[in-house]
Structure formats: structure tokens, C-alpha cells
Amino acid sequence: MKGVFYKKVNIFVAALLMFSSIQAQQKHAERKPTVTNQGRYKLWYNKPAKNWNEALPIGNGFIGAMVFGNVQNERIQLNESTIWGGGPNNTIDSNARPYISQVRALLAGKKYAEAQELANNKLGPKGNSGMPYQLAGNLYIKFPGADSVTNYYRDLDIANATAVVKYTLNGVNYKREYFTAFGNNVLMVRLTANKPGMISCKVKLQSPLKSSVGVNGKETLVLSGQGSDHEGQKGQIKYTVLTRVKNFRGTCVTDTSGITIANADTAVIYLSIATNFVNYRDVSANSMNRAEDILHKAYRYDFNVLINNHIRFYRSYFDRVKLNLHIDSSASHPTDIRIKNFANNNDTQLAELYFQYGRYLLISSSQPGSQPANLQGIWNGEVKGPWDSKYTININTEMNYWPSEVTQLPELSTPLFQMIKDLSVTGAPTAKIMYGTRGWMLHHNTDIWRITGIVDGAFWGLWPTSNAWLSQHIWEHYLYSGDKTFLKEYYPIMKGAAEYYIDALQKEPEHGWLVVSPSISPEHEYIDGKNQVSVTAGATMDNQLVFGLFTDVIRAAAELHVDKVFADSLAAYRSQLPPMQIGKHGQLQEWLEDFDRTDDHHRHVSHLYGLFPGNQISPFTQPQLFAAVKNSLIYRGDVSTGWSMAWKINLWARLLDGNHAHKLIKDQIKPVTGNSGGTYPNLFDAHPPFQIDGNFGCTSGIAEMLLQSHDGAIYLLPALPDDWKDGSASGLMARGGFKIDMKWANHKIIKLVIHSSLGGNCRLRFNQQMNNKLLAVANGSNKNRFYQVMDLKTPIVKPSNESITPSLIKTWVYDMPTTPGKTYVIEKLIN
């Protein structure tokens, strides 16, 4: 009895200590957040989410959740990256080849409207236009009491990948904590209060998909579901959601109506999701066994162990890059208010937060072994989401991964590379059957089943150049990493894409150029008489993509010391591609003929691929084309869909105009009104509706404003806006394996640290003249040379083409030999 008495006393004391600790934490959190570094990476709000675009996203690449923070009836919307409609299939049109030949002939004869009509009638989707990514369902937690609470607060801490909800009700402080565990792959929710016995609620699972709810054993709630039938494809994905609770004191009862928790001090919810998906050809796994295994392994650990492991894993990615644009009192306002005020204040830290939010979303939606981030990342709250939440490969999928290399998240491209490998297999019969070629290809859209045929009809979907754009990501990864093992593995895929074009390119009759035909300039049209026409031959973007692919394969072959004859043949074909052309308005032509209009404000700016993300237009070597790109952007305008504005941020950064790029950041981070793009209260990018590529594109654009390495040198602060006169950035990556840390004041770099992983010459480009003596001493060598390269006069082509006005771009370049694994610290840069 004595032992029992002391045991009870110890438990009571421990409980008091726990409650006092929770109470102290909650009192601290209830105060309005102060402007500190600790809170600079929090999205926070003083009210629950009213809709999906106010809910907060958490994820680990495999499962995702949207936390609403409702007081009485909490909703946590659930996703798992392999829950899609339909099943294994491809969309190859075995009847397409003769019609493709006929469309080519009509285009060669400049019978554009007739070519469009034939394409519309004969070259549409075969069977389906791809399958939709779908939600798993919802976890509901229903609490007793009224919605009338005080001290309400919720946040998403992107420095730790956790979410919190707090409020006071009837004198009791309640707290909820949420995260999706990296490594353990479970959703975790902890419910606590600052007084004992106050946690009472009902946990339920629900799904709009075909599903049922049951109980496994005595403690586990089970939702069994199935993906939808869609466009003639039977739903073959089966999935299981398992939920189990650990309660401390009180009671917990599980039946088919849910899990009832009564009078607990603390309740911890564990939730796993798994499917029968193995790969795009195989759906033979057992979802219940998988979900049970995940839940069983996680349930052995308490909440604190799992959250500590989760944060440690997450921060191994997130902490690689730091950006400081300075913080002021604006950060003390809720995030939705900051978005509303951003256009009219100098809340530079919101741009910093948005930059890091893009990195958070990529870490949370794309992990080695997961599916790639789709059009909505991993978060979709509908049975059939916007554009089916598929992979749109005429810009959006690629934009998702623009930040991965430069912001030091290269492992997160692994799912993209695996999808490219899959597509090189499913796209081989498409190339042979539809186009009569070797190699592999696909059109502008795919899904989890890796379809490669035409999607959505010829007007939008007759674009056969996705393979070239996807291949660019392979080469870019090599440029940053120098990983020859990776290049050797993926070189055959790049070569296969090039083989497709060797066979598919057509000789254009007027100039004898080799062109992609038929194709489109993605989702855009030109006017032929009174007809809107998209189908074309030799679209500028296609020419740039094929030129880039051939160039990359030639270089890859040289790096690997293989295929010299093949590389020489690619060089011969490359020399016959159409050049980029400047049109009658001083613009870069979008099509082979000068169809562009000055009143065209289309969201796609595909013909500017050569500037970004390509590297075919330089202010230092092609000033006329550089000026023509600028005119094209001016004509298109700034305000557009969210992702389009994100692309333009990158383009204006490459045009070395930081103020214009910053203006577009202001345009993008604004409340959504009507059909214009902007930012939702949860910082999701709005097309509208939500498309995650705009988030990733803006993150990439901010990085491009601070560092560029595509044009033969590492250009530091190439497009720094006036509003960012002081700041610092660390961990940004440059091609060649260089990691850059820098600090600037009054727009001048005052400290620079270079980490060289591969060694070799590090060529730096500055907008400012440096103290060359101190630089040489800092690196410990008198052989380093520092010299002014050029005063470049860049012609700005007037829209009327009447005159050319020179402008001065003055840069200085410094060559610094480096040793692999060495770090170079350079201070006192300014005379």
C-alpha cells in the first residue's frame, strides 16, 4: 500500500508539473507575437479558417493535410500522394500518324485554319485526358461547447513544419499540435489543456470517395476507400486510413461511429494512410497491411519522440538556406493582414517568408520515394481538383522544381527524375506509333499512370516537346552537382529524347530550317484571317527547347566520353534550327512568322524560355535579343495568373531589373479578387484557383534576383531592388558546385563566403568595383586576377523600331581558382 501511495503521489506531482508547464507555455503564446527571429517563419492568424484556402498545409511528401483550426468541429483534410482515379493505362492514338502527316502538309502550305480544323477533328485525346489526383477524406474532431472563445491563435511554423491552434474557453486554455512525421509517415495531433480532465471529443473519419468505416481490434478506427472511375477508366486504387488514440487519464472508446474521448488530460491521435499502388503498372499491394505496419511502428513512440525526430529531419533540409531581408513591425500582424497591406508598405520580411514558404512546400510535397509534386503539390481537397491536379508539363511541373537546385534541395528532385525515367518507357511506343520515330516523347500532360498521348484536345494538347524540357532538369542537376554517376544513369534518357527529334524534325520550305511540326506555342493562339489558330510549325519555344536539348546532350556525351559520332550529328542538326527572330514591334517573335500583337496579354510567355529557364539569351553576347525579350514582356504586361507572374519575376531578374521583379512580387502577394492571380490567406498561390507552381516560381525568382550562374559567371546581386538595400543570404547554390554566403549593405556586398565542393575556377561577376588587393590577400594568393571586363552598350529596341538607345551595364569579373572542399572567406570588399 505504501508503494502504491508513493506511486500515486509521484504521478500527481508529475501531472501538476506538466500542467504548469503547459499553462506557462500557453500564457506566453497568447501574447501578440513579437518581432523576433524565432517568429519570423510563422504564418499566424487570429481566427479559424473559413475555407480551404485559409487552412494550413502540412505534409511529408507521402501524406498531406490541411488544418482548419475550427474550435468546435475541427477538420483536417487528408491526402496521400498515390490516391488517383482510374488505373494503369496509356493514351496512345494508333490512328494519329497519317493525320499528323496531313497537318504538317497543311502547315507547310500556310493553310493554318485548315490545319487547325483537321487537328481538332482527328488528333484529340484517345480514351481519356488523364486521371485526377484525389483526396483521401477528412479527419474530424468534434468538441463540446460553443464556438465563442477568446485568445484564439493558430499558426504554421515553417521553420519546424508544425502547426498549432490555441484558444481559451470557459477559463481553460486549450492547445492542439499537428505535424506529418517525416520518417514515420503518420499524421500526429496532440490535444492538451492547462487543467486536468478537460479533453473530451469525438474523432471521426469521412470520405466523399467510395468508402466504408469500421473498427480493427478494439482501438483502431478504419476507413477503407477506393479511387474513382473516370473517363472510362475503372478506379483501381484501394486505400486505408487508420486512426488510433493514446489518452492520458479519462476514457477512450472506439466503435464504427468514431473514437470517443472523455475527461482526458491529454489525447494523442496517430493516423496512417496507405494504398495498393506499387508503380504505374502495378497496383497489387495490400493497403491495409501497409497502413497497419506504418501505424504499429509509429505507435511505439510517444509524441515528443516523434516530433523531435520530425523536426530534426525537416531542418536538415530547411536550415540549408537562410535569407534576411530585415524585419519590422509589419510582422506583428496576422499573415492575412500582411498580404492585404503588402502592396502599400515595405514589409520586406513577407517576401522573405514567401521565399522560405516555397522551400517548405517543396520539402513537404516531394521526397525521395514519393510522387513528384503535382499541380497542387500534395494538397487537394476535391474528388476532381482543378485541372485534375495532374502534371502539366508545358510549364507547371517544371516550375515546381525550379527552386530545388539553387535553394539547396537537390534530393527533392528525385521523384521528378523517376517520373522522367518512367515517361521515357511509356513514351517510347507513343513516339513510334504516333510519330514514326525512335526515342521517346509525350505531350503536355501526364498523371500517376504516366500517360503520354494528347490531352484536352489538339488546340491545347498537340505539343510534343515536353521531353526536351524535362531533360533540361537532368542536365541542370549535373551542372550543380557534378555527379557523373547520375549523368551516366540518365544520359540514355536525354539521348532518347534527342533521337526523337532527329527523326521528327521537318524541313520548313521557305528557309530550309528544321522545325517541330505540328506543335503549338503552349496554350496560345495567333490570328489567321478571322480564325484563332494554335497549331503551328517552328514555334520559338520549340526551337529553343530542341536547341537546348541538342546542346546538353552534346556536352553530356563529352563529359562521359561517349557517342562522339552521335554528338557530331546533333551539332549538324542544331545548325539547321531556326534562329530567334525580332519582329516588327521590336519583340522576340513567338512564332516563325511575325504574328505577335502588342495588345496580347496572354498568361503564357513560352517564347521567352530562352532567357529563363534556358540560357540562350545574354545581355553580354546577344544584346539585341535581350532587348527584344524586354519588349515582349512589356507588351504582355505584369498582372496575370499567379504562376505567370512568378515566371515573370524570374524573367525580369534575368533582365537585371530588380525593381520590376520586385514590383511583380508585390503583384503576386496580394489578395485574390475576381479572376486575377494573387495569394490566398494561407500564402497559397492563386491562378486562381490554387496552383502551387506559383509559390515555387516566386521562390526561384527571388533566388535569381540574388544570384545567377547560367551565363559563364556567378553573378552576385544581379537584380537587387531598391527596397532590399541591406540584407544577407547564405546557402544559395551556383552551377559548378559553389555554395554562396553573402552580406550586403546599401546595395554593396560587404562580406562573401564561397564553399567549393568540386574545385576549379570560380568566376564572380559584380555590379561594384572591388578592392582587388584585399581580395587577393584574403584568398592567400597574389596570382588571382581582378579586372573590369567590359562596359557593355545594350541596344534597347524601340517598339516603333525607329531608333536604338544605348544603355550602360557595367560589371566587374574576378577569377578565383578553388580547391575541392575548401571555403574562402572574403571581407572588406569595397575600397
Side-chain angles (χ1 to χ4, degrees):
M1 289 296 293
K2 194 175 187 180
V4 173
F5 173 79
Y6 280 116
K7 186 176 180 182
K8 288 182 177 180
V9 169
N10 288 337
I11 292 172
F12 178 73
V13 171
L16 285 177
L17 289 172
M18 180 183 72
F19 294 139
S20 62
S21 175
I22 292 171
Q23 188 174 27
Q25 291 173 14
Q26 291 188 344
K27 283 184 177 179
H28 176 73
E30 284 160 14
R31 296 195 296 266
K32 193 173 185 179
T34 55
V35 185
T36 64
N37 286 334
Q38 187 178 4
R40 70 189 303 135
Y41 293 136
K42 288 185 178 180
L43 288 66
W44 73 275
Y45 309 83
N46 55 18
K47 56 183 179 295
K50 294 180 180 178
N51 57 60
W52 195 86
N53 293 310
E54 295 181 2
L56 296 174
I58 54 176
N60 64 10
F62 299 90
I63 60 174
M66 297 291 289
V67 180
F68 283 69
N70 296 322
V71 173
Q72 193 167 6
N73 195 20
E74 171 67 294
R75 176 192 176 192
I76 305 168
Q77 184 261 305
L78 306 172
N79 288 107
E80 200 277 347
S81 66
T82 60
I83 299 177
W84 291 65
N89 77 101
N90 205 342
T91 52
I92 302 169
D93 186 352
S94 58
N95 299 317
R97 191 171 170 187
Y99 298 115
I100 287 171
S101 297
Q102 292 174 39
V103 171
R104 284 171 174 163
L106 290 170
L107 290 171
K110 298 191 175 184
K111 298 179 180 179
Y112 304 125
E114 293 177 45
Q116 186 69 64
E117 183 178 9
L118 178 61
N120 288 347
N121 291 333
K122 299 297 184 180
L123 297 175
K126 181 67 173 180
N128 65 81
S129 281
M131 296 295 109
Y133 175 58
Q134 301 186 305
L135 80 168
N138 297 284
L139 172 70
Y140 287 106
I141 311 172
K142 187 174 180 60
F143 296 88
D147 279 331
S148 179
V149 299
T150 58
N151 301 321
Y152 183 91
Y153 171 88
R154 66 184 173 103
D155 74 31
L156 174 65
D157 181 356
I158 65 170
N160 294 302
T162 58
V164 166
V165 171
K166 303 173 187 175
Y167 56 87
T168 301
L169 176 64
N170 297 327
V172 179
N173 296 330
Y174 292 90
K175 181 179 180 182
R176 308 174 195 164
E177 301 162 88
Y178 316 75
F179 68 97
T180 43
F182 287 99
N184 296 98
N185 199 26
V186 285
L187 168 68
M188 299 293 297
V189 183
R190 179 163 68 178
L191 310 174
T192 57
N194 69 334
K195 294 182 181 180
M198 299 308 299
I199 302 300
S200 296
C201 58
K202 184 71 171 279
V203 177
K204 293 185 176 183
L205 291 172
Q206 176 273 341
S207 176
L209 296 177
K210 183 179 179 181
S211 59
S212 61
V213 176
V215 176
N216 184 19
K218 294 182 178 180
E219 298 178 325
T220 305
L221 190 65
V222 182
L223 185 147
S224 302
Q226 184 172 341
S228 296
D229 300 346
H230 186 72
E231 295 184 2
Q233 292 293 316
K234 180 175 175 57
Q236 296 186 47
I237 288 293
K238 296 177 181 179
Y239 69 94
T240 302
V241 183
L242 300 180
T243 306
R244 192 174 176 185
V245 173
K246 278 183 183 177
N247 61 298
F248 299 88
R249 298 181 64 177
T251 60
C252 182
V253 178
T254 303
D255 56 34
T256 54
S257 69
I259 302 174
T260 303
I261 303 163
N263 305 317
D265 296 341
T266 301
V268 179
I269 301 169
Y270 294 70
L271 183 145
S272 66
I273 314 175
T275 76
N276 63 337
F277 180 88
V278 178
N279 58 50
Y280 66 92
R281 295 168 295 191
D282 185 351
V283 289
S284 64
N286 186 302
S287 64
M288 173 62 88
N289 289 346
R290 283 178 161 183
E292 283 183 327
D293 183 60
I294 293 168
L295 187 64
H296 174 72
K297 288 178 179 177
Y299 199 77
R300 292 180 298 177
Y301 300 103
D302 67 26
F303 184 92
N304 288 332
V305 171
L306 291 174
I307 196 170
N308 288 334
N309 291 341
H310 162 81
I311 291 172
R312 189 180 304 113
F313 182 102
Y314 171 76
R315 295 194 71 160
S316 70
Y317 289 103
F318 186 80
D319 287 351
R320 294 174 185 177
V321 170
K322 299 186 186 303
L323 176 62
N324 188 339
L325 298 178
H326 293 292
I327 193 166
D328 62 20
S329 59
S330 302
S332 65
H333 297 294
T335 303
D336 53 333
I337 302 302
R338 294 178 72 184
I339 295 169
K340 291 178 182 178
N341 295 338
F342 186 60
N344 299 312
N345 67 14
N346 193 29
D347 184 2
T348 56
Q349 201 274 328
L350 186 58
E352 173 194 325
L353 177 65
Y354 200 91
F355 168 84
Q356 292 286 20
Y357 188 55
R359 297 182 69 246
Y360 164 81
L361 293 173
L362 190 56
I363 298 167
S364 301
S365 63
S366 183
Q367 284 285 319
S370 77
Q371 293 298 306
N374 62 47
L375 205 57
Q376 276 72 36
I378 199 174
W379 301 278
N380 168 41
E382 302 175 37
V383 171
K384 187 177 183 297
W387 301 280
D388 294 338
S389 294
K390 299 195 296 286
Y391 300 101
T392 305
I393 307 181
N394 62 16
I395 172 62
N396 314 101
T397 298
E398 292 86 352
M399 186 182 285
N400 283 1
Y401 288 92
W402 284 354
S404 64
E405 299 291 345
V406 68
T407 73
Q408 213 181 149
L409 300 171
E411 306 96 320
L412 305 189
S413 290
T414 304
L416 176 67
F417 295 140
Q418 182 58 54
M419 183 170 75
I420 295 171
K421 189 178 288 187
D422 294 344
L423 291 168
S424 72
V425 175
T426 62
T430 313
K432 183 177 181 180
I433 294 169
M434 292 184 66
Y435 292 89
T437 72
R438 297 170 295 161
W440 65 279
M441 64 83 62
L442 74 157
H443 297 84
H444 91 296
N445 233 290
T446 192
D447 58 16
I448 198 171
W449 311 115
R450 307 306 189 238
I451 63 167
T452 53
I454 294 171
V455 167
D456 295 334
F459 198 92
W460 301 275
L462 188 53
W463 188 64
T465 331
S466 292
N467 55 356
W469 198 340
L470 290 172
S471 294
Q472 186 225 20
H473 284 257
I474 296 171
W475 180 246
E476 284 290 300
H477 180 71
Y478 176 71
L479 290 180
Y480 279 93
S481 68
D483 185 347
K484 285 195 176 180
T485 301
F486 170 86
L487 186 62
K488 186 177 181 180
E489 179 182 356
Y490 281 89
Y491 171 77
I493 294 173
M494 298 173 66
K495 180 180 178 181
E499 286 174 329
Y500 167 78
Y501 291 105
I502 288 176
D503 296 348
L505 289 171
Q506 305 294 305
K507 183 161 284 191
E508 176 265 339
E510 188 171 342
H511 304 91
W513 293 328
L514 294 178
V515 298
V516 178
S517 177
S519 187
I520 62 174
S521 188
E523 302 187 30
H524 201 8
E525 69 281 336
Y526 56 93
I527 306 300
D528 178 37
K530 294 183 179 180
N531 301 295
Q532 287 190 337
V533 177
S534 68
V535 68
T536 191
T540 295
M541 184 189 212
D542 288 344
N543 304 332
Q544 294 167 340
L545 282 166
V546 177
F547 184 96
L549 174 67
F550 285 178
T551 300
D552 295 347
V553 174
I554 291 168
R555 292 173 178 170
E559 289 289 306
L560 297 172
H561 305 291
V562 297
D563 284 339
K564 187 177 187 310
V565 174
F566 180 70
D568 290 344
S569 69
L570 286 183
Y573 278 95
R574 184 181 62 180
S575 68
Q576 300 176 68
L577 296 171
M580 287 178 274
Q581 302 176 87
I582 299 175
K584 59 180 176 291
H585 305 298
Q587 89 289 359
L588 185 69
Q589 286 183 199
E590 186 165 359
W591 293 275
L592 210 58
E593 294 186 63
D594 197 356
F595 291 134
D596 298 78
R597 310 185 316 273
T598 58
D599 62 348
D600 180 359
H601 304 302
H602 197 270
R603 63 193 178 278
H604 281 262
V605 285
S606 305
H607 55 309
L608 307 187
Y609 170 92
L611 179 66
F612 185 90
N615 63 345
Q616 299 169 32
I617 300 170
S618 165
F620 305 107
T621 56
Q622 295 115 345
Q624 287 83 9
L625 290 175
F626 187 78
V629 168
K630 185 173 184 178
N631 285 332
S632 292
L633 266 184
I634 290 171
Y635 292 138
R636 280 291 164 90
D638 292 339
V639 176
S640 186
T641 60
W643 66 262
S644 177
M645 290 188 284
W647 192 354
K648 291 170 186 175
I649 294 167
N650 290 269
L651 289 166
W652 280 108
R654 286 278 175 98
L655 287 171
L656 310 180
D657 191 337
N659 286 333
H660 205 136
H662 186 249
K663 188 261 183 187
L664 273 153
I665 294 173
K666 294 267 189 177
D667 289 338
Q668 185 174 358
I669 306 177
K670 70 175 189 301
V672 180
T673 56
N675 293 321
S676 66
T679 297
Y680 290 113
N682 61 4
L683 283 186
F684 271 169
D685 171 73
H687 178 286
F690 163 53
Q691 280 190 201
I692 203 167
D693 46 359
N695 289 100
F696 297 137
C698 187
T699 295
S700 166
I702 291 171
E704 287 288 322
M705 294 164 73
L706 301 174
L707 182 150
Q708 297 176 18
S709 63
H710 64 285
D711 197 15
I714 300 172
Y715 197 166
L716 302 172
L717 304 185
L720 191 70
D722 292 344
D723 283 355
W724 298 356
K725 69 183 187 69
D726 303 316
S728 63
S730 64
L732 294 178
M733 297 299 296
R735 293 164 182 86
F738 297 104
K739 183 170 68 173
I740 304 297
D741 304 339
M742 56 184 166
K743 184 177 182 180
W744 65 92
N746 198 26
H747 298 93
K748 301 289 186 181
I749 296 174
I750 58 174
K751 183 176 181 179
L752 179 64
V753 180
I754 301 167
H755 311 268
S756 176
S757 63
L758 304 175
N761 186 58
C762 178
R763 174 164 287 184
L764 301 170
R765 185 183 296 278
F766 299 92
N767 289 325
Q768 65 196 77
Q769 187 168 7
M770 299 299 164
N771 186 335
N772 51 315
K773 183 176 180 180
L774 281 174
L775 277 169
V777 171
N779 199 36
S781 171
N782 292 322
K783 295 181 179 179
N784 297 329
R785 56 195 182 277
F786 176 72
Y787 52 90
Q788 183 175 340
V789 173
M790 65 184 71
D791 288 346
L792 182 70
K793 293 183 177 179
T794 302
I796 304 299
V797 182
K798 295 287 186 180
S800 63
N801 212 23
E802 293 175 353
S803 63
I804 295 177
T805 303
S807 71
L808 195 66
I809 297 178
K810 185 179 292 186
T811 64
W812 288 263
V813 170
Y814 173 70
D815 281 350
M816 185 175 71
T818 68
T819 302
K822 295 290 186 181
T823 296
Y824 302 86
V825 180
I826 306 169
E827 296 182 292
K828 299 181 181 179
L829 291 165
I830 305 171
N831 283 307

